[in-house]
Amino acid sequence: MSNAIRTLSPSTNKLIYEHPGTSLEEARQLAISAQDAHKSWKQVPLSERKSIILKALELIKANKETLAEELTSQMGRPIAFATKEIDTMRKRADYLLDIVDDSLKNLPGQPEDGFRRFLKKEPIGVVFIATAWNFPYLITISTILPALLAGNAVLLRPSPQTPLIGERFLSFFTEAGLPPHLFQLIHCGSLDVLDQIVALPQINLVSFTGSTAGGMRIREATARRVVPVNLELGGNDPAYVRPDADLAYVAAQLVDGAVFNSGQSCCSVERVYVHADVHDAFVHEVQKELATYKLGDPADQSTTTGPVISQQAVKTINAHIADALAKGAVDATPDNATFSAPPPDGNYVAPKVLVNVSHDMRTMREETFGPVMPIMKVASDDEAVALMNDTDFGLTASVWTKDVSAAEGLMDRLEAGTVFVNRCDYPSPDLAWIGWKNSGLGCTLGPHGFDAFYKLKSFHIKEQQA
């Protein structure tokens, strides 16, 4: 398999970037130089590290319109929403900067006369970070920022679909004054080569964001080394609409949660369970909402839904839809002229509403990762919870109701790393972003957002020899 990268724009399928790929030997040399850079960087005061990071963030802010256009070209998000990711990235970064001093301070031991004991948080060393294409600025900042602030060196492998994000981060951090070799790029288009790179002995931590299958492969590739692995993986995230919910409000929120970014989010709403008392009325509200959406060219400011990432994604999404229809699902998608006449050259999949679905269908069991909204009728809270937990994934889940107290009782029973009431599809920077089951290992963000990027060293000092 070639290690070269050829990035095609999802909206045109035209080539927009290519790179021969970083060889294993080149990656080894990058890792060795990163080791040397780390030794000096960890001695730099935290205040100076923060200052460099802030300068880089300001450079990103100053260039966000250009970066947004590049983002739309690389992964197809409508330009109307592209700058929002960079704004949200800054909020994440500011949160991490706010908590870094407390997160990295020493931890005292118990007082004892004649002794001093404490725990010091030491940087890991060389951190290999592989990020995904669907929210590349958000995903990347959640890992490179704590890694660098904690005193580590970073080898970043940007997704082959959004390679320019890596190039821009490198350029801005270099301009901001980050020392040479502390932040370096590895472009890799071959999973076989990636397996070899993550096994390099110079790498002290592997952080991967992507599919569950990709995360499993990373674990296998690192299995013969005692090296920590952080995984942010896929989801099949459920929502439950109780009979007292404000249906118009909830329909608007869940359509957005299912269709935003063309459904290409690990935490997008992939399954909706609706109490039988309001099922039909809810479906009607969903249809009204989705009828206002516009599928089309992502460069058009009026477009709400752009292409999916690739022709393979088109095939997978359509296969899930076909499987559901063959097993008895009913297509309840509203009439929408843009859904039936998308631009001719891109990877367009019209949003789809399916009813009469069951857990025999792939779209209810697997991650569809597309603008598909299956809606299933349930008779009670208990049935809804049982079905929501009937999955190998556990990233997020949401409950929609006016009775917040009742929802909180259901939250405790849901098997997911993040549970929402009357909200969905939003990783808050002050909470841990963590996957249960096959949705991940370790966490980013929140008060423990730095934990993966340091190791503990115990200091035990007896004040006198006698």
mmCIF file of all heavy atoms in Angstrom, residues 293-334:
data_model
loop_
_atom_site.group_PDB
_atom_site.id
_atom_site.type_symbol
_atom_site.label_atom_id
_atom_site.label_comp_id
_atom_site.label_asym_id
_atom_site.label_seq_id
_atom_site.Cartn_x
_atom_site.Cartn_y
_atom_site.Cartn_z
ATOM 1 N N TYR A 293 -34.017 22.705 5.355
ATOM 2 C CA TYR A 293 -32.583 22.530 5.127
ATOM 3 C C TYR A 293 -32.255 22.639 3.644
ATOM 4 O O TYR A 293 -33.108 22.408 2.777
ATOM 5 C CB TYR A 293 -32.115 21.184 5.676
ATOM 6 C CG TYR A 293 -31.795 21.208 7.154
ATOM 7 C CD1 TYR A 293 -32.723 21.637 8.095
ATOM 8 C CD2 TYR A 293 -30.554 20.807 7.626
ATOM 9 C CE1 TYR A 293 -32.435 21.665 9.448
ATOM 10 C CE2 TYR A 293 -30.240 20.822 8.972
ATOM 11 C CZ TYR A 293 -31.192 21.266 9.881
ATOM 12 O OH TYR A 293 -30.888 21.294 11.224
ATOM 13 N N LYS A 294 -30.993 22.970 3.358
ATOM 14 C CA LYS A 294 -30.558 23.068 1.977
ATOM 15 C C LYS A 294 -29.306 22.227 1.769
ATOM 16 O O LYS A 294 -28.245 22.507 2.352
ATOM 17 C CB LYS A 294 -30.277 24.514 1.583
ATOM 18 C CG LYS A 294 -29.794 24.656 0.136
ATOM 19 C CD LYS A 294 -29.460 26.092 -0.228
ATOM 20 C CE LYS A 294 -28.910 26.167 -1.649
ATOM 21 N NZ LYS A 294 -28.531 27.560 -2.034
ATOM 22 N N LEU A 295 -29.411 21.193 0.949
ATOM 23 C CA LEU A 295 -28.271 20.379 0.551
ATOM 24 C C LEU A 295 -27.622 21.020 -0.669
ATOM 25 O O LEU A 295 -28.324 21.323 -1.651
ATOM 26 C CB LEU A 295 -28.724 18.958 0.217
ATOM 27 C CG LEU A 295 -27.658 17.993 -0.313
ATOM 28 C CD1 LEU A 295 -26.661 17.636 0.783
ATOM 29 C CD2 LEU A 295 -28.315 16.728 -0.875
ATOM 30 N N GLY A 296 -26.304 21.233 -0.619
ATOM 31 C CA GLY A 296 -25.692 21.852 -1.786
ATOM 32 C C GLY A 296 -24.218 22.156 -1.612
ATOM 33 O O GLY A 296 -23.542 21.636 -0.713
ATOM 34 N N ASP A 297 -23.733 22.992 -2.482
ATOM 35 C CA ASP A 297 -22.334 23.397 -2.538
ATOM 36 C C ASP A 297 -21.928 24.033 -1.205
ATOM 37 O O ASP A 297 -22.528 25.028 -0.781
ATOM 38 C CB ASP A 297 -22.161 24.397 -3.682
ATOM 39 C CG ASP A 297 -20.726 24.867 -3.842
ATOM 40 O OD1 ASP A 297 -19.858 24.498 -3.026
ATOM 41 O OD2 ASP A 297 -20.477 25.630 -4.799
ATOM 42 N N PRO A 298 -20.924 23.503 -0.531
ATOM 43 C CA PRO A 298 -20.549 24.058 0.774
ATOM 44 C C PRO A 298 -19.972 25.466 0.696
ATOM 45 O O PRO A 298 -19.890 26.150 1.717
ATOM 46 C CB PRO A 298 -19.520 23.054 1.303
ATOM 47 C CG PRO A 298 -18.960 22.406 0.088
ATOM 48 C CD PRO A 298 -20.091 22.333 -0.891
ATOM 49 N N ALA A 299 -19.574 25.910 -0.481
ATOM 50 C CA ALA A 299 -19.062 27.269 -0.627
ATOM 51 C C ALA A 299 -20.176 28.303 -0.670
ATOM 52 O O ALA A 299 -19.918 29.506 -0.583
ATOM 53 C CB ALA A 299 -18.210 27.374 -1.889
ATOM 54 N N ASP A 300 -21.411 27.858 -0.784
ATOM 55 C CA ASP A 300 -22.580 28.734 -0.812
ATOM 56 C C ASP A 300 -23.001 29.047 0.625
ATOM 57 O O ASP A 300 -23.248 28.142 1.424
ATOM 58 C CB ASP A 300 -23.717 28.035 -1.566
ATOM 59 C CG ASP A 300 -24.955 28.906 -1.741
ATOM 60 O OD1 ASP A 300 -25.144 29.857 -0.963
ATOM 61 O OD2 ASP A 300 -25.750 28.596 -2.639
ATOM 62 N N GLN A 301 -23.102 30.324 0.964
ATOM 63 C CA GLN A 301 -23.438 30.728 2.327
ATOM 64 C C GLN A 301 -24.808 30.227 2.774
ATOM 65 O O GLN A 301 -25.079 30.127 3.969
ATOM 66 C CB GLN A 301 -23.392 32.258 2.446
ATOM 67 C CG GLN A 301 -21.993 32.840 2.527
ATOM 68 C CD GLN A 301 -21.346 32.643 3.894
ATOM 69 O OE1 GLN A 301 -21.994 32.277 4.865
ATOM 70 N NE2 GLN A 301 -20.043 32.888 3.971
ATOM 71 N N SER A 302 -25.705 29.919 1.838
ATOM 72 C CA SER A 302 -27.051 29.472 2.213
ATOM 73 C C SER A 302 -27.144 27.958 2.420
ATOM 74 O O SER A 302 -28.172 27.455 2.880
ATOM 75 C CB SER A 302 -28.064 29.902 1.147
ATOM 76 O OG SER A 302 -27.825 29.238 -0.089
ATOM 77 N N THR A 303 -26.082 27.225 2.122
ATOM 78 C CA THR A 303 -26.096 25.771 2.275
ATOM 79 C C THR A 303 -26.025 25.381 3.744
ATOM 80 O O THR A 303 -25.204 25.901 4.498
ATOM 81 C CB THR A 303 -24.910 25.142 1.513
ATOM 82 O OG1 THR A 303 -25.102 25.329 0.111
ATOM 83 C CG2 THR A 303 -24.783 23.650 1.802
ATOM 84 N N THR A 304 -26.884 24.462 4.150
ATOM 85 C CA THR A 304 -26.843 23.937 5.521
ATOM 86 C C THR A 304 -26.192 22.566 5.591
ATOM 87 O O THR A 304 -25.665 22.179 6.636
ATOM 88 C CB THR A 304 -28.253 23.823 6.113
ATOM 89 O OG1 THR A 304 -29.029 22.928 5.298
ATOM 90 C CG2 THR A 304 -28.944 25.181 6.162
ATOM 91 N N THR A 305 -26.239 21.799 4.503
ATOM 92 C CA THR A 305 -25.718 20.433 4.491
ATOM 93 C C THR A 305 -24.867 20.235 3.241
ATOM 94 O O THR A 305 -25.365 20.382 2.120
ATOM 95 C CB THR A 305 -26.865 19.409 4.497
ATOM 96 O OG1 THR A 305 -27.768 19.713 5.569
ATOM 97 C CG2 THR A 305 -26.322 18.003 4.675
ATOM 98 N N GLY A 306 -23.606 19.913 3.457
ATOM 99 C CA GLY A 306 -22.699 19.715 2.345
ATOM 100 C C GLY A 306 -22.501 18.239 2.036
ATOM 101 O O GLY A 306 -23.292 17.386 2.459
ATOM 102 N N PRO A 307 -21.441 17.909 1.323
ATOM 103 C CA PRO A 307 -21.170 16.520 0.971
ATOM 104 C C PRO A 307 -20.643 15.732 2.158
ATOM 105 O O PRO A 307 -20.220 16.309 3.169
ATOM 106 C CB PRO A 307 -20.097 16.647 -0.113
ATOM 107 C CG PRO A 307 -19.353 17.896 0.272
ATOM 108 C CD PRO A 307 -20.404 18.827 0.796
ATOM 109 N N VAL A 308 -20.674 14.401 2.048
ATOM 110 C CA VAL A 308 -19.950 13.560 2.994
ATOM 111 C C VAL A 308 -18.526 13.394 2.471
ATOM 112 O O VAL A 308 -18.189 13.825 1.372
ATOM 113 C CB VAL A 308 -20.652 12.204 3.224
ATOM 114 C CG1 VAL A 308 -22.007 12.431 3.868
ATOM 115 C CG2 VAL A 308 -20.779 11.406 1.932
ATOM 116 N N ILE A 309 -17.690 12.769 3.248
ATOM 117 C CA ILE A 309 -16.250 12.890 3.041
ATOM 118 C C ILE A 309 -15.722 12.169 1.806
ATOM 119 O O ILE A 309 -14.743 12.595 1.206
ATOM 120 C CB ILE A 309 -15.498 12.419 4.309
ATOM 121 C CG1 ILE A 309 -14.062 12.932 4.302
ATOM 122 C CG2 ILE A 309 -15.560 10.908 4.442
ATOM 123 C CD1 ILE A 309 -13.953 14.444 4.396
ATOM 124 N N SER A 310 -16.367 11.075 1.385
ATOM 125 C CA SER A 310 -15.786 10.278 0.306
ATOM 126 C C SER A 310 -16.854 9.443 -0.389
ATOM 127 O O SER A 310 -17.965 9.277 0.132
ATOM 128 C CB SER A 310 -14.704 9.344 0.856
ATOM 129 O OG SER A 310 -15.293 8.377 1.727
ATOM 130 N N GLN A 311 -16.476 8.878 -1.526
ATOM 131 C CA GLN A 311 -17.369 7.953 -2.224
ATOM 132 C C GLN A 311 -17.618 6.702 -1.388
ATOM 133 O O GLN A 311 -18.712 6.130 -1.422
ATOM 134 C CB GLN A 311 -16.775 7.585 -3.578
ATOM 135 C CG GLN A 311 -16.929 8.662 -4.630
ATOM 136 C CD GLN A 311 -18.394 8.886 -5.004
ATOM 137 O OE1 GLN A 311 -19.100 7.948 -5.371
ATOM 138 N NE2 GLN A 311 -18.844 10.130 -4.906
ATOM 139 N N GLN A 312 -16.611 6.273 -0.628
ATOM 140 C CA GLN A 312 -16.800 5.114 0.241
ATOM 141 C C GLN A 312 -17.833 5.423 1.320
ATOM 142 O O GLN A 312 -18.663 4.567 1.667
ATOM 143 C CB GLN A 312 -15.484 4.701 0.893
ATOM 144 C CG GLN A 312 -15.582 3.471 1.790
ATOM 145 C CD GLN A 312 -16.156 2.273 1.075
ATOM 146 O OE1 GLN A 312 -15.663 1.882 0.005
ATOM 147 N NE2 GLN A 312 -17.190 1.663 1.636
ATOM 148 N N ALA A 313 -17.794 6.646 1.853
ATOM 149 C CA ALA A 313 -18.797 7.041 2.846
ATOM 150 C C ALA A 313 -20.194 7.018 2.241
ATOM 151 O O ALA A 313 -21.158 6.578 2.884
ATOM 152 C CB ALA A 313 -18.471 8.425 3.397
ATOM 153 N N VAL A 314 -20.331 7.484 1.007
ATOM 154 C CA VAL A 314 -21.620 7.439 0.323
ATOM 155 C C VAL A 314 -22.136 6.003 0.271
ATOM 156 O O VAL A 314 -23.310 5.724 0.567
ATOM 157 C CB VAL A 314 -21.512 8.020 -1.103
ATOM 158 C CG1 VAL A 314 -22.816 7.806 -1.871
ATOM 159 C CG2 VAL A 314 -21.169 9.505 -1.055
ATOM 160 N N LYS A 315 -21.268 5.073 -0.096
ATOM 161 C CA LYS A 315 -21.661 3.664 -0.212
ATOM 162 C C LYS A 315 -22.100 3.102 1.142
ATOM 163 O O LYS A 315 -23.106 2.387 1.231
ATOM 164 C CB LYS A 315 -20.505 2.845 -0.777
ATOM 165 C CG LYS A 315 -20.167 3.159 -2.231
ATOM 166 C CD LYS A 315 -18.969 2.340 -2.702
ATOM 167 C CE LYS A 315 -18.589 2.689 -4.143
ATOM 168 N NZ LYS A 315 -17.383 1.943 -4.596
ATOM 169 N N THR A 316 -21.341 3.420 2.191
ATOM 170 C CA THR A 316 -21.669 2.898 3.524
ATOM 171 C C THR A 316 -23.007 3.435 4.014
ATOM 172 O O THR A 316 -23.850 2.681 4.515
ATOM 173 C CB THR A 316 -20.561 3.266 4.526
ATOM 174 O OG1 THR A 316 -19.321 2.674 4.104
ATOM 175 C CG2 THR A 316 -20.908 2.772 5.922
ATOM 176 N N ILE A 317 -23.222 4.740 3.871
ATOM 177 C CA ILE A 317 -24.470 5.350 4.327
ATOM 178 C C ILE A 317 -25.649 4.782 3.555
ATOM 179 O O ILE A 317 -26.680 4.399 4.138
ATOM 180 C CB ILE A 317 -24.396 6.882 4.186
ATOM 181 C CG1 ILE A 317 -23.302 7.443 5.097
ATOM 182 C CG2 ILE A 317 -25.750 7.517 4.513
ATOM 183 C CD1 ILE A 317 -22.880 8.865 4.752
ATOM 184 N N ASN A 318 -25.522 4.713 2.243
ATOM 185 C CA ASN A 318 -26.614 4.175 1.421
ATOM 186 C C ASN A 318 -26.879 2.706 1.717
ATOM 187 O O ASN A 318 -28.028 2.245 1.660
ATOM 188 C CB ASN A 318 -26.310 4.376 -0.064
ATOM 189 C CG ASN A 318 -26.507 5.817 -0.506
ATOM 190 O OD1 ASN A 318 -27.262 6.566 0.111
ATOM 191 N ND2 ASN A 318 -25.841 6.219 -1.573
ATOM 192 N N ALA A 319 -25.826 1.961 2.071
ATOM 193 C CA ALA A 319 -26.009 0.552 2.432
ATOM 194 C C ALA A 319 -26.816 0.429 3.720
ATOM 195 O O ALA A 319 -27.666 -0.466 3.856
ATOM 196 C CB ALA A 319 -24.656 -0.138 2.575
ATOM 197 N N HIS A 320 -26.564 1.311 4.687
ATOM 198 C CA HIS A 320 -27.334 1.306 5.935
ATOM 199 C C HIS A 320 -28.801 1.643 5.667
ATOM 200 O O HIS A 320 -29.709 1.032 6.248
ATOM 201 C CB HIS A 320 -26.739 2.309 6.922
ATOM 202 C CG HIS A 320 -25.540 1.801 7.647
ATOM 203 N ND1 HIS A 320 -25.165 2.255 8.885
ATOM 204 C CD2 HIS A 320 -24.608 0.865 7.317
ATOM 205 C CE1 HIS A 320 -24.080 1.635 9.300
ATOM 206 N NE2 HIS A 320 -23.710 0.793 8.344
ATOM 207 N N ILE A 321 -29.035 2.617 4.804
ATOM 208 C CA ILE A 321 -30.414 2.991 4.461
ATOM 209 C C ILE A 321 -31.113 1.834 3.762
ATOM 210 O O ILE A 321 -32.255 1.474 4.093
ATOM 211 C CB ILE A 321 -30.418 4.251 3.576
ATOM 212 C CG1 ILE A 321 -29.885 5.457 4.364
ATOM 213 C CG2 ILE A 321 -31.830 4.537 3.059
ATOM 214 C CD1 ILE A 321 -29.616 6.679 3.500
ATOM 215 N N ALA A 322 -30.437 1.231 2.794
ATOM 216 C CA ALA A 322 -31.027 0.117 2.040
ATOM 217 C C ALA A 322 -31.328 -1.065 2.952
ATOM 218 O O ALA A 322 -32.378 -1.728 2.825
ATOM 219 C CB ALA A 322 -30.088 -0.303 0.914
ATOM 220 N N ASP A 323 -30.429 -1.337 3.885
ATOM 221 C CA ASP A 323 -30.638 -2.438 4.835
ATOM 222 C C ASP A 323 -31.887 -2.185 5.676
ATOM 223 O O ASP A 323 -32.706 -3.085 5.878
ATOM 224 C CB ASP A 323 -29.406 -2.572 5.734
ATOM 225 C CG ASP A 323 -29.609 -3.537 6.882
ATOM 226 O OD1 ASP A 323 -29.555 -4.750 6.653
ATOM 227 O OD2 ASP A 323 -29.842 -3.050 8.014
ATOM 228 N N ALA A 324 -32.047 -0.953 6.146
ATOM 229 C CA ALA A 324 -33.212 -0.621 6.967
ATOM 230 C C ALA A 324 -34.507 -0.752 6.164
ATOM 231 O O ALA A 324 -35.495 -1.337 6.640
ATOM 232 C CB ALA A 324 -33.073 0.795 7.524
ATOM 233 N N LEU A 325 -34.520 -0.228 4.958
ATOM 234 C CA LEU A 325 -35.729 -0.303 4.138
ATOM 235 C C LEU A 325 -36.086 -1.743 3.792
ATOM 236 O O LEU A 325 -37.255 -2.129 3.773
ATOM 237 C CB LEU A 325 -35.541 0.523 2.860
ATOM 238 C CG LEU A 325 -35.402 2.047 3.067
ATOM 239 C CD1 LEU A 325 -35.063 2.727 1.746
ATOM 240 C CD2 LEU A 325 -36.675 2.638 3.666
ATOM 241 N N ALA A 326 -35.053 -2.563 3.552
ATOM 242 C CA ALA A 326 -35.304 -3.966 3.220
ATOM 243 C C ALA A 326 -35.884 -4.732 4.409
ATOM 244 O O ALA A 326 -36.564 -5.747 4.229
ATOM 245 C CB ALA A 326 -34.001 -4.633 2.761
ATOM 246 N N LYS A 327 -35.615 -4.242 5.624
ATOM 247 C CA LYS A 327 -36.081 -4.924 6.827
ATOM 248 C C LYS A 327 -37.350 -4.292 7.407
ATOM 249 O O LYS A 327 -37.718 -4.580 8.542
ATOM 250 C CB LYS A 327 -34.964 -4.944 7.873
ATOM 251 C CG LYS A 327 -33.780 -5.825 7.454
ATOM 252 C CD LYS A 327 -32.618 -5.722 8.436
ATOM 253 C CE LYS A 327 -31.468 -6.631 7.996
ATOM 254 N NZ LYS A 327 -30.258 -6.455 8.853
ATOM 255 N N GLY A 328 -37.996 -3.414 6.634
ATOM 256 C CA GLY A 328 -39.290 -2.895 7.060
ATOM 257 C C GLY A 328 -39.348 -1.446 7.452
ATOM 258 O O GLY A 328 -40.428 -0.945 7.806
ATOM 259 N N ALA A 329 -38.230 -0.732 7.427
ATOM 260 C CA ALA A 329 -38.272 0.693 7.744
ATOM 261 C C ALA A 329 -39.046 1.441 6.665
ATOM 262 O O ALA A 329 -39.145 0.994 5.517
ATOM 263 C CB ALA A 329 -36.860 1.251 7.857
ATOM 264 N N VAL A 330 -39.574 2.590 7.045
ATOM 265 C CA VAL A 330 -40.336 3.431 6.123
ATOM 266 C C VAL A 330 -39.616 4.765 5.971
ATOM 267 O O VAL A 330 -39.219 5.389 6.965
ATOM 268 C CB VAL A 330 -41.767 3.653 6.638
ATOM 269 C CG1 VAL A 330 -42.520 4.640 5.731
ATOM 270 C CG2 VAL A 330 -42.515 2.324 6.722
ATOM 271 N N ASP A 331 -39.450 5.193 4.736
ATOM 272 C CA ASP A 331 -38.811 6.478 4.454
ATOM 273 C C ASP A 331 -39.815 7.597 4.724
ATOM 274 O O ASP A 331 -40.831 7.711 4.044
ATOM 275 C CB ASP A 331 -38.354 6.499 2.995
ATOM 276 C CG ASP A 331 -37.547 7.751 2.651
ATOM 277 O OD1 ASP A 331 -37.561 8.715 3.428
ATOM 278 O OD2 ASP A 331 -36.896 7.754 1.580
ATOM 279 N N ALA A 332 -39.529 8.414 5.735
ATOM 280 C CA ALA A 332 -40.434 9.518 6.099
ATOM 281 C C ALA A 332 -39.789 10.876 5.836
ATOM 282 O O ALA A 332 -40.168 11.881 6.447
ATOM 283 C CB ALA A 332 -40.826 9.395 7.572
ATOM 284 N N THR A 333 -38.827 10.912 4.934
ATOM 285 C CA THR A 333 -38.141 12.163 4.617
ATOM 286 C C THR A 333 -39.101 13.138 3.939
ATOM 287 O O THR A 333 -39.833 12.743 3.028
ATOM 288 C CB THR A 333 -36.946 11.891 3.680
ATOM 289 O OG1 THR A 333 -36.147 10.840 4.228
ATOM 290 C CG2 THR A 333 -36.096 13.134 3.507
ATOM 291 N N PRO A 334 -39.110 14.395 4.357
ATOM 292 C CA PRO A 334 -40.032 15.348 3.727
ATOM 293 C C PRO A 334 -39.583 15.731 2.324
ATOM 294 O O PRO A 334 -38.413 15.563 1.956
ATOM 295 C CB PRO A 334 -39.958 16.559 4.659
ATOM 296 C CG PRO A 334 -38.573 16.500 5.227
ATOM 297 C CD PRO A 334 -38.300 15.036 5.421
#
